[in-house]
Amino acid sequence: MNLTLLAIIILIVTGIPLWLRASRNRQAVQRLSEADDGTTLSPRERLAVALAYPHDPLINEQVHTTHGDFSLIGLSGRDHPTYIGDLKVGVHESLVKAIERTNTARVVRARDRALVVELNGQRLLPSLDEAPAEGPEADPRRQVQLVTHTREAPADNVLRRRGAGIETGCLGTVAVLLICVGALILMLALPAAHPIWFFIGCIPLVMGVMVYRPLIQLHAPEQGERLFRLRGRVLIADSADDIPGVEQDRTFPPGDTYPDAIRRRAYEFASGPIMSMRMTWPAGLIGNLALQYPKHWLAPLRRRTPEQTDVLVTEGGEVVQHGGLSLYEEWRRFPPVHWGKHLSATILAWIALAIGAYHDTPLIRAILTGSPGNAWNGNSTWVWLNTLPATLAGAAVVLLAGYHSVRLAVSLGRWRDRQARLMPWIDAQ
């Protein structure tokens, strides 16, 4: 049999079931979107979903109920399709033990799947609760109490975005990149060679000049993000094995019945572990939940943890306050210094100049010899007019390289001074 025909047959045979499954999932999602159960995520569920499924932005906060058999598609590995009935769902590790042959789940819709908030009566992230856990089975090492929730002050939201470098972000670097690309086109392809290159070079150059700003002023929003105050035992973990009780969560009774076999395989597909997948080690834990601590806090906190304390986090699990240590107060006392943008802009500008020097552009030729030369139009009395756009473009890159080189040196000095004063302040809090 022809190999091409065989490949087509294999694709058809394997593709039809996948197409049918995707079609049934679309129908199930349509039914969910048309249904209105009248319930939305509670503050506790909103935080649990954000911590358990950090890569799944929600379409809305409407909670739906669905029923069906649990099934896995694929052999192993995370992010393979998981279904309840015909609905593609995301299941967190904390819910795996609740999986049965036939399931009732409360779900919330995300971009490409539904996220399970409650499965057969088992809540997502059961160690997170509004009240302290009681009873002999309560493990104080794992429990996290949701004390209260509030809104971030608009001024604090602006301060946090500036502290994260969002006031400039990569926008300035993108602008410098556009300017360098446009300048290179003008330097390497003079208008005398072909007029079209003049217009092609002007497009990114003008866009970069329009976008470029040394600083972008942020306006305070009407209200900041949701903030949650959590209370529990905080420690610094170096691996997933340091998460309290993780070995218990993955232990099943002996036997190989259908539900137990499915549960064992489900750990390979579940979102998690309790640790968010976007976290890196070492990391800060409260109970058995991982949070996004500022990296420079971890070493000082390691010396004082584990400890029972209150932690203020954003909806995405970003810690802004640990006990008396506040990220807002840190940024007010020690304004952050972002030197990465100047480093990127400096490298881009010097690369553009190096390419221009290698190709003997008019600007470099004028700098080295005092004359733009007679390339392309040597007999013309208007040689400077032919090379003027390229020379001006090159001069712009020279100015960018000089400006950001100086700013980089100054920023590195300020950053080193800030680090020297910051760490003693953190230890004293």
Side-chain angles (χ1 to χ4, degrees), residues 42-75:
S42 67
R44 186 256 173 215
E45 291 173 335
R46 187 180 297 114
L47 177 60
V49 169
L51 293 176
Y53 308 106
H55 303 291
D56 294 279
L58 300 182
I59 294 177
N60 53 48
E61 297 185 358
Q62 188 76 27
V63 181
H64 306 275
T65 302
T66 187
H67 309 272
D69 294 341
F70 187 86
S71 60
L72 302 171
I73 306 298
L75 297 176

PDB file of all heavy atoms in Angstrom, residues 42-75:
ATOM      1  N   SER A  42     -17.715  32.606  45.171  1.00  0.00           N
ATOM      2  CA  SER A  42     -17.547  33.319  46.437  1.00  0.00           C
ATOM      3  C   SER A  42     -16.116  33.831  46.529  1.00  0.00           C
ATOM      4  O   SER A  42     -15.241  33.402  45.763  1.00  0.00           O
ATOM      5  CB  SER A  42     -17.847  32.380  47.605  1.00  0.00           C
ATOM      6  OG  SER A  42     -16.857  31.351  47.668  1.00  0.00           O
ATOM      7  N   PRO A  43     -15.820  34.756  47.455  1.00  0.00           N
ATOM      8  CA  PRO A  43     -14.430  35.215  47.588  1.00  0.00           C
ATOM      9  C   PRO A  43     -13.456  34.068  47.833  1.00  0.00           C
ATOM     10  O   PRO A  43     -12.355  34.050  47.281  1.00  0.00           O
ATOM     11  CB  PRO A  43     -14.492  36.164  48.787  1.00  0.00           C
ATOM     12  CG  PRO A  43     -15.895  36.685  48.767  1.00  0.00           C
ATOM     13  CD  PRO A  43     -16.735  35.525  48.303  1.00  0.00           C
ATOM     14  N   ARG A  44     -13.857  33.105  48.645  1.00  0.00           N
ATOM     15  CA  ARG A  44     -12.992  31.960  48.913  1.00  0.00           C
ATOM     16  C   ARG A  44     -12.748  31.150  47.646  1.00  0.00           C
ATOM     17  O   ARG A  44     -11.624  30.743  47.329  1.00  0.00           O
ATOM     18  CB  ARG A  44     -13.622  31.098  50.010  1.00  0.00           C
ATOM     19  CG  ARG A  44     -12.747  29.951  50.488  1.00  0.00           C
ATOM     20  CD  ARG A  44     -13.254  28.639  49.911  1.00  0.00           C
ATOM     21  NE  ARG A  44     -12.335  27.555  50.216  1.00  0.00           N
ATOM     22  CZ  ARG A  44     -12.078  26.537  49.422  1.00  0.00           C
ATOM     23  NH1 ARG A  44     -12.655  26.488  48.229  1.00  0.00           N
ATOM     24  NH2 ARG A  44     -11.237  25.612  49.763  1.00  0.00           N
ATOM     25  N   GLU A  45     -13.798  30.899  46.869  1.00  0.00           N
ATOM     26  CA  GLU A  45     -13.659  30.141  45.625  1.00  0.00           C
ATOM     27  C   GLU A  45     -12.877  30.929  44.585  1.00  0.00           C
ATOM     28  O   GLU A  45     -12.106  30.341  43.819  1.00  0.00           O
ATOM     29  CB  GLU A  45     -15.048  29.777  45.095  1.00  0.00           C
ATOM     30  CG  GLU A  45     -15.787  28.755  45.935  1.00  0.00           C
ATOM     31  CD  GLU A  45     -17.221  28.553  45.467  1.00  0.00           C
ATOM     32  OE1 GLU A  45     -17.779  29.488  44.836  1.00  0.00           O
ATOM     33  OE2 GLU A  45     -17.786  27.476  45.738  1.00  0.00           O
ATOM     34  N   ARG A  46     -13.040  32.238  44.559  1.00  0.00           N
ATOM     35  CA  ARG A  46     -12.326  33.070  43.588  1.00  0.00           C
ATOM     36  C   ARG A  46     -10.822  32.970  43.825  1.00  0.00           C
ATOM     37  O   ARG A  46     -10.036  32.820  42.884  1.00  0.00           O
ATOM     38  CB  ARG A  46     -12.792  34.522  43.708  1.00  0.00           C
ATOM     39  CG  ARG A  46     -12.242  35.430  42.628  1.00  0.00           C
ATOM     40  CD  ARG A  46     -12.742  36.845  42.808  1.00  0.00           C
ATOM     41  NE  ARG A  46     -14.192  36.926  42.674  1.00  0.00           N
ATOM     42  CZ  ARG A  46     -15.018  37.248  43.666  1.00  0.00           C
ATOM     43  NH1 ARG A  46     -14.537  37.510  44.864  1.00  0.00           N
ATOM     44  NH2 ARG A  46     -16.316  37.292  43.462  1.00  0.00           N
ATOM     45  N   LEU A  47     -10.400  33.033  45.079  1.00  0.00           N
ATOM     46  CA  LEU A  47      -8.981  32.914  45.393  1.00  0.00           C
ATOM     47  C   LEU A  47      -8.487  31.502  45.106  1.00  0.00           C
ATOM     48  O   LEU A  47      -7.385  31.322  44.570  1.00  0.00           O
ATOM     49  CB  LEU A  47      -8.742  33.274  46.859  1.00  0.00           C
ATOM     50  CG  LEU A  47      -7.309  33.126  47.355  1.00  0.00           C
ATOM     51  CD1 LEU A  47      -6.367  34.027  46.570  1.00  0.00           C
ATOM     52  CD2 LEU A  47      -7.216  33.429  48.853  1.00  0.00           C
ATOM     53  N   ALA A  48      -9.289  30.495  45.459  1.00  0.00           N
ATOM     54  CA  ALA A  48      -8.872  29.109  45.223  1.00  0.00           C
ATOM     55  C   ALA A  48      -8.679  28.835  43.734  1.00  0.00           C
ATOM     56  O   ALA A  48      -7.710  28.187  43.332  1.00  0.00           O
ATOM     57  CB  ALA A  48      -9.912  28.145  45.807  1.00  0.00           C
ATOM     58  N   VAL A  49      -9.577  29.335  42.896  1.00  0.00           N
ATOM     59  CA  VAL A  49      -9.446  29.142  41.449  1.00  0.00           C
ATOM     60  C   VAL A  49      -8.197  29.841  40.923  1.00  0.00           C
ATOM     61  O   VAL A  49      -7.458  29.296  40.101  1.00  0.00           O
ATOM     62  CB  VAL A  49     -10.714  29.651  40.729  1.00  0.00           C
ATOM     63  CG1 VAL A  49     -10.498  29.713  39.221  1.00  0.00           C
ATOM     64  CG2 VAL A  49     -11.900  28.738  41.037  1.00  0.00           C
ATOM     65  N   ALA A  50      -7.946  31.060  41.406  1.00  0.00           N
ATOM     66  CA  ALA A  50      -6.773  31.808  40.937  1.00  0.00           C
ATOM     67  C   ALA A  50      -5.482  31.106  41.322  1.00  0.00           C
ATOM     68  O   ALA A  50      -4.510  31.085  40.554  1.00  0.00           O
ATOM     69  CB  ALA A  50      -6.801  33.222  41.502  1.00  0.00           C
ATOM     70  N   LEU A  51      -5.433  30.503  42.526  1.00  0.00           N
ATOM     71  CA  LEU A  51      -4.226  29.813  42.961  1.00  0.00           C
ATOM     72  C   LEU A  51      -4.062  28.457  42.286  1.00  0.00           C
ATOM     73  O   LEU A  51      -2.946  28.044  41.961  1.00  0.00           O
ATOM     74  CB  LEU A  51      -4.256  29.625  44.486  1.00  0.00           C
ATOM     75  CG  LEU A  51      -4.173  30.887  45.340  1.00  0.00           C
ATOM     76  CD1 LEU A  51      -4.306  30.537  46.811  1.00  0.00           C
ATOM     77  CD2 LEU A  51      -2.881  31.630  45.079  1.00  0.00           C
ATOM     78  N   ALA A  52      -5.175  27.756  42.072  1.00  0.00           N
ATOM     79  CA  ALA A  52      -5.091  26.399  41.538  1.00  0.00           C
ATOM     80  C   ALA A  52      -4.922  26.368  40.030  1.00  0.00           C
ATOM     81  O   ALA A  52      -4.281  25.457  39.496  1.00  0.00           O
ATOM     82  CB  ALA A  52      -6.352  25.607  41.928  1.00  0.00           C
ATOM     83  N   TYR A  53      -5.494  27.342  39.324  1.00  0.00           N
ATOM     84  CA  TYR A  53      -5.428  27.360  37.860  1.00  0.00           C
ATOM     85  C   TYR A  53      -4.852  28.702  37.394  1.00  0.00           C
ATOM     86  O   TYR A  53      -5.565  29.530  36.813  1.00  0.00           O
ATOM     87  CB  TYR A  53      -6.813  27.157  37.261  1.00  0.00           C
ATOM     88  CG  TYR A  53      -7.569  25.947  37.791  1.00  0.00           C
ATOM     89  CD1 TYR A  53      -8.638  26.108  38.686  1.00  0.00           C
ATOM     90  CD2 TYR A  53      -7.226  24.664  37.393  1.00  0.00           C
ATOM     91  CE1 TYR A  53      -9.335  25.012  39.160  1.00  0.00           C
ATOM     92  CE2 TYR A  53      -7.926  23.564  37.871  1.00  0.00           C
ATOM     93  CZ  TYR A  53      -8.976  23.741  38.751  1.00  0.00           C
ATOM     94  OH  TYR A  53      -9.663  22.653  39.222  1.00  0.00           O
ATOM     95  N   PRO A  54      -3.571  28.953  37.640  1.00  0.00           N
ATOM     96  CA  PRO A  54      -3.016  30.286  37.360  1.00  0.00           C
ATOM     97  C   PRO A  54      -2.932  30.635  35.889  1.00  0.00           C
ATOM     98  O   PRO A  54      -2.800  31.806  35.546  1.00  0.00           O
ATOM     99  CB  PRO A  54      -1.610  30.204  37.982  1.00  0.00           C
ATOM    100  CG  PRO A  54      -1.276  28.752  37.967  1.00  0.00           C
ATOM    101  CD  PRO A  54      -2.571  28.035  38.198  1.00  0.00           C
ATOM    102  N   HIS A  55      -3.006  29.639  34.996  1.00  0.00           N
ATOM    103  CA  HIS A  55      -2.836  29.914  33.566  1.00  0.00           C
ATOM    104  C   HIS A  55      -4.156  29.957  32.813  1.00  0.00           C
ATOM    105  O   HIS A  55      -4.158  29.997  31.576  1.00  0.00           O
ATOM    106  CB  HIS A  55      -1.945  28.846  32.935  1.00  0.00           C
ATOM    107  CG  HIS A  55      -0.605  28.723  33.595  1.00  0.00           C
ATOM    108  ND1 HIS A  55       0.350  29.703  33.511  1.00  0.00           N
ATOM    109  CD2 HIS A  55      -0.073  27.746  34.368  1.00  0.00           C
ATOM    110  CE1 HIS A  55       1.425  29.333  34.189  1.00  0.00           C
ATOM    111  NE2 HIS A  55       1.193  28.154  34.728  1.00  0.00           N
ATOM    112  N   ASP A  56      -5.285  29.932  33.530  1.00  0.00           N
ATOM    113  CA  ASP A  56      -6.591  29.858  32.880  1.00  0.00           C
ATOM    114  C   ASP A  56      -7.422  31.090  33.217  1.00  0.00           C
ATOM    115  O   ASP A  56      -8.095  31.127  34.252  1.00  0.00           O
ATOM    116  CB  ASP A  56      -7.338  28.598  33.323  1.00  0.00           C
ATOM    117  CG  ASP A  56      -6.671  27.326  32.851  1.00  0.00           C
ATOM    118  OD1 ASP A  56      -6.876  26.952  31.686  1.00  0.00           O
ATOM    119  OD2 ASP A  56      -5.932  26.708  33.644  1.00  0.00           O
ATOM    120  N   PRO A  57      -7.388  32.128  32.376  1.00  0.00           N
ATOM    121  CA  PRO A  57      -8.235  33.305  32.632  1.00  0.00           C
ATOM    122  C   PRO A  57      -9.705  32.958  32.478  1.00  0.00           C
ATOM    123  O   PRO A  57     -10.106  32.256  31.540  1.00  0.00           O
ATOM    124  CB  PRO A  57      -7.779  34.306  31.568  1.00  0.00           C
ATOM    125  CG  PRO A  57      -7.162  33.472  30.489  1.00  0.00           C
ATOM    126  CD  PRO A  57      -6.568  32.276  31.163  1.00  0.00           C
ATOM    127  N   LEU A  58     -10.510  33.443  33.411  1.00  0.00           N
ATOM    128  CA  LEU A  58     -11.935  33.120  33.413  1.00  0.00           C
ATOM    129  C   LEU A  58     -12.695  33.982  32.412  1.00  0.00           C
ATOM    130  O   LEU A  58     -12.371  35.147  32.192  1.00  0.00           O
ATOM    131  CB  LEU A  58     -12.520  33.329  34.809  1.00  0.00           C
ATOM    132  CG  LEU A  58     -11.915  32.493  35.943  1.00  0.00           C
ATOM    133  CD1 LEU A  58     -12.644  32.790  37.248  1.00  0.00           C
ATOM    134  CD2 LEU A  58     -11.970  31.010  35.631  1.00  0.00           C
ATOM    135  N   ILE A  59     -13.715  33.370  31.799  1.00  0.00           N
ATOM    136  CA  ILE A  59     -14.622  34.122  30.931  1.00  0.00           C
ATOM    137  C   ILE A  59     -15.564  34.966  31.776  1.00  0.00           C
ATOM    138  O   ILE A  59     -15.830  36.129  31.486  1.00  0.00           O
ATOM    139  CB  ILE A  59     -15.401  33.156  30.018  1.00  0.00           C
ATOM    140  CG1 ILE A  59     -14.442  32.475  29.034  1.00  0.00           C
ATOM    141  CG2 ILE A  59     -16.506  33.883  29.276  1.00  0.00           C
ATOM    142  CD1 ILE A  59     -15.106  31.464  28.146  1.00  0.00           C
ATOM    143  N   ASN A  60     -16.090  34.376  32.830  1.00  0.00           N
ATOM    144  CA  ASN A  60     -16.908  35.096  33.796  1.00  0.00           C
ATOM    145  C   ASN A  60     -16.835  34.319  35.110  1.00  0.00           C
ATOM    146  O   ASN A  60     -16.108  33.329  35.216  1.00  0.00           O
ATOM    147  CB  ASN A  60     -18.367  35.234  33.312  1.00  0.00           C
ATOM    148  CG  ASN A  60     -18.976  33.890  32.929  1.00  0.00           C
ATOM    149  OD1 ASN A  60     -18.887  32.902  33.662  1.00  0.00           O
ATOM    150  ND2 ASN A  60     -19.612  33.851  31.767  1.00  0.00           N
ATOM    151  N   GLU A  61     -17.543  34.789  36.126  1.00  0.00           N
ATOM    152  CA  GLU A  61     -17.509  34.144  37.432  1.00  0.00           C
ATOM    153  C   GLU A  61     -18.771  33.345  37.707  1.00  0.00           C
ATOM    154  O   GLU A  61     -19.065  33.004  38.851  1.00  0.00           O
ATOM    155  CB  GLU A  61     -17.287  35.199  38.522  1.00  0.00           C
ATOM    156  CG  GLU A  61     -15.937  35.907  38.389  1.00  0.00           C
ATOM    157  CD  GLU A  61     -15.674  36.869  39.530  1.00  0.00           C
ATOM    158  OE1 GLU A  61     -16.551  37.005  40.395  1.00  0.00           O
ATOM    159  OE2 GLU A  61     -14.592  37.473  39.556  1.00  0.00           O
ATOM    160  N   GLN A  62     -19.521  33.016  36.664  1.00  0.00           N
ATOM    161  CA  GLN A  62     -20.736  32.236  36.800  1.00  0.00           C
ATOM    162  C   GLN A  62     -20.375  30.771  37.055  1.00  0.00           C
ATOM    163  O   GLN A  62     -19.567  30.187  36.343  1.00  0.00           O
ATOM    164  CB  GLN A  62     -21.574  32.337  35.531  1.00  0.00           C
ATOM    165  CG  GLN A  62     -22.950  31.718  35.627  1.00  0.00           C
ATOM    166  CD  GLN A  62     -23.918  32.583  36.415  1.00  0.00           C
ATOM    167  OE1 GLN A  62     -23.760  33.788  36.465  1.00  0.00           O
ATOM    168  NE2 GLN A  62     -24.898  31.959  37.028  1.00  0.00           N
ATOM    169  N   VAL A  63     -20.977  30.167  38.066  1.00  0.00           N
ATOM    170  CA  VAL A  63     -20.714  28.773  38.430  1.00  0.00           C
ATOM    171  C   VAL A  63     -21.853  27.904  37.909  1.00  0.00           C
ATOM    172  O   VAL A  63     -23.032  28.219  38.101  1.00  0.00           O
ATOM    173  CB  VAL A  63     -20.574  28.610  39.956  1.00  0.00           C
ATOM    174  CG1 VAL A  63     -20.282  27.150  40.307  1.00  0.00           C
ATOM    175  CG2 VAL A  63     -19.458  29.506  40.480  1.00  0.00           C
ATOM    176  N   HIS A  64     -21.492  26.801  37.226  1.00  0.00           N
ATOM    177  CA  HIS A  64     -22.470  25.879  36.653  1.00  0.00           C
ATOM    178  C   HIS A  64     -22.272  24.486  37.246  1.00  0.00           C
ATOM    179  O   HIS A  64     -21.184  24.143  37.716  1.00  0.00           O
ATOM    180  CB  HIS A  64     -22.309  25.801  35.132  1.00  0.00           C
ATOM    181  CG  HIS A  64     -22.354  27.123  34.437  1.00  0.00           C
ATOM    182  ND1 HIS A  64     -23.522  27.743  34.062  1.00  0.00           N
ATOM    183  CD2 HIS A  64     -21.343  27.961  34.051  1.00  0.00           C
ATOM    184  CE1 HIS A  64     -23.246  28.899  33.475  1.00  0.00           C
ATOM    185  NE2 HIS A  64     -21.934  29.050  33.450  1.00  0.00           N
ATOM    186  N   THR A  65     -23.330  23.701  37.193  1.00  0.00           N
ATOM    187  CA  THR A  65     -23.283  22.311  37.651  1.00  0.00           C
ATOM    188  C   THR A  65     -23.358  21.383  36.452  1.00  0.00           C
ATOM    189  O   THR A  65     -24.185  21.589  35.556  1.00  0.00           O
ATOM    190  CB  THR A  65     -24.438  22.015  38.621  1.00  0.00           C
ATOM    191  OG1 THR A  65     -24.366  22.908  39.733  1.00  0.00           O
ATOM    192  CG2 THR A  65     -24.368  20.573  39.119  1.00  0.00           C
ATOM    193  N   THR A  66     -22.500  20.373  36.426  1.00  0.00           N
ATOM    194  CA  THR A  66     -22.481  19.411  35.335  1.00  0.00           C
ATOM    195  C   THR A  66     -22.351  18.003  35.898  1.00  0.00           C
ATOM    196  O   THR A  66     -21.839  17.813  37.021  1.00  0.00           O
ATOM    197  CB  THR A  66     -21.328  19.702  34.353  1.00  0.00           C
ATOM    198  OG1 THR A  66     -21.433  18.841  33.228  1.00  0.00           O
ATOM    199  CG2 THR A  66     -19.971  19.509  35.013  1.00  0.00           C
ATOM    200  N   HIS A  67     -22.835  17.027  35.134  1.00  0.00           N
ATOM    201  CA  HIS A  67     -22.800  15.621  35.557  1.00  0.00           C
ATOM    202  C   HIS A  67     -22.203  14.793  34.428  1.00  0.00           C
ATOM    203  O   HIS A  67     -22.314  15.145  33.248  1.00  0.00           O
ATOM    204  CB  HIS A  67     -24.201  15.099  35.875  1.00  0.00           C
ATOM    205  CG  HIS A  67     -24.988  15.966  36.819  1.00  0.00           C
ATOM    206  ND1 HIS A  67     -24.920  15.829  38.178  1.00  0.00           N
ATOM    207  CD2 HIS A  67     -25.847  16.991  36.572  1.00  0.00           C
ATOM    208  CE1 HIS A  67     -25.712  16.728  38.739  1.00  0.00           C
ATOM    209  NE2 HIS A  67     -26.290  17.444  37.785  1.00  0.00           N
ATOM    210  N   GLY A  68     -21.561  13.681  34.798  1.00  0.00           N
ATOM    211  CA  GLY A  68     -21.050  12.777  33.778  1.00  0.00           C
ATOM    212  C   GLY A  68     -19.947  11.879  34.285  1.00  0.00           C
ATOM    213  O   GLY A  68     -19.470  12.007  35.422  1.00  0.00           O
ATOM    214  N   ASP A  69     -19.558  10.948  33.413  1.00  0.00           N
ATOM    215  CA  ASP A  69     -18.460  10.041  33.730  1.00  0.00           C
ATOM    216  C   ASP A  69     -17.127  10.745  33.562  1.00  0.00           C
ATOM    217  O   ASP A  69     -16.966  11.596  32.678  1.00  0.00           O
ATOM    218  CB  ASP A  69     -18.506   8.805  32.826  1.00  0.00           C
ATOM    219  CG  ASP A  69     -19.735   7.950  33.093  1.00  0.00           C
ATOM    220  OD1 ASP A  69     -20.330   8.097  34.185  1.00  0.00           O
ATOM    221  OD2 ASP A  69     -20.107   7.150  32.208  1.00  0.00           O
ATOM    222  N   PHE A  70     -16.159  10.350  34.383  1.00  0.00           N
ATOM    223  CA  PHE A  70     -14.818  10.921  34.307  1.00  0.00           C
ATOM    224  C   PHE A  70     -13.996  10.122  33.306  1.00  0.00           C
ATOM    225  O   PHE A  70     -14.007   8.888  33.311  1.00  0.00           O
ATOM    226  CB  PHE A  70     -14.151  10.880  35.687  1.00  0.00           C
ATOM    227  CG  PHE A  70     -12.826  11.591  35.728  1.00  0.00           C
ATOM    228  CD1 PHE A  70     -12.765  12.951  35.959  1.00  0.00           C
ATOM    229  CD2 PHE A  70     -11.643  10.897  35.526  1.00  0.00           C
ATOM    230  CE1 PHE A  70     -11.553  13.608  35.994  1.00  0.00           C
ATOM    231  CE2 PHE A  70     -10.415  11.543  35.563  1.00  0.00           C
ATOM    232  CZ  PHE A  70     -10.375  12.908  35.800  1.00  0.00           C
ATOM    233  N   SER A  71     -13.274  10.806  32.427  1.00  0.00           N
ATOM    234  CA  SER A  71     -12.455  10.119  31.433  1.00  0.00           C
ATOM    235  C   SER A  71     -11.208  10.927  31.149  1.00  0.00           C
ATOM    236  O   SER A  71     -11.195  12.156  31.263  1.00  0.00           O
ATOM    237  CB  SER A  71     -13.244   9.885  30.142  1.00  0.00           C
ATOM    238  OG  SER A  71     -13.672  11.115  29.589  1.00  0.00           O
ATOM    239  N   LEU A  72     -10.139  10.213  30.775  1.00  0.00           N
ATOM    240  CA  LEU A  72      -8.854  10.803  30.424  1.00  0.00           C
ATOM    241  C   LEU A  72      -8.537  10.464  28.982  1.00  0.00           C
ATOM    242  O   LEU A  72      -8.774   9.350  28.531  1.00  0.00           O
ATOM    243  CB  LEU A  72      -7.744  10.273  31.327  1.00  0.00           C
ATOM    244  CG  LEU A  72      -7.926  10.481  32.838  1.00  0.00           C
ATOM    245  CD1 LEU A  72      -6.872   9.713  33.604  1.00  0.00           C
ATOM    246  CD2 LEU A  72      -7.837  11.962  33.155  1.00  0.00           C
ATOM    247  N   ILE A  73      -7.976  11.413  28.269  1.00  0.00           N
ATOM    248  CA  ILE A  73      -7.568  11.197  26.885  1.00  0.00           C
ATOM    249  C   ILE A  73      -6.053  11.336  26.817  1.00  0.00           C
ATOM    250  O   ILE A  73      -5.506  12.354  27.232  1.00  0.00           O
ATOM    251  CB  ILE A  73      -8.227  12.212  25.929  1.00  0.00           C
ATOM    252  CG1 ILE A  73      -9.744  12.191  26.121  1.00  0.00           C
ATOM    253  CG2 ILE A  73      -7.858  11.912  24.492  1.00  0.00           C
ATOM    254  CD1 ILE A  73     -10.386  10.861  25.804  1.00  0.00           C
ATOM    255  N   GLY A  74      -5.375  10.339  26.287  1.00  0.00           N
ATOM    256  CA  GLY A  74      -3.926  10.377  26.202  1.00  0.00           C
ATOM    257  C   GLY A  74      -3.302   9.359  27.123  1.00  0.00           C
ATOM    258  O   GLY A  74      -3.987   8.605  27.827  1.00  0.00           O
ATOM    259  N   LEU A  75      -1.972   9.324  27.125  1.00  0.00           N
ATOM    260  CA  LEU A  75      -1.254   8.318  27.889  1.00  0.00           C
ATOM    261  C   LEU A  75      -0.726   8.872  29.204  1.00  0.00           C
ATOM    262  O   LEU A  75      -0.958   8.318  30.250  1.00  0.00           O
ATOM    263  CB  LEU A  75      -0.094   7.763  27.044  1.00  0.00           C
ATOM    264  CG  LEU A  75      -0.527   7.045  25.763  1.00  0.00           C
ATOM    265  CD1 LEU A  75       0.705   6.622  24.973  1.00  0.00           C
ATOM    266  CD2 LEU A  75      -1.387   5.846  26.087  1.00  0.00           C
TER     267      LEU A  75
END
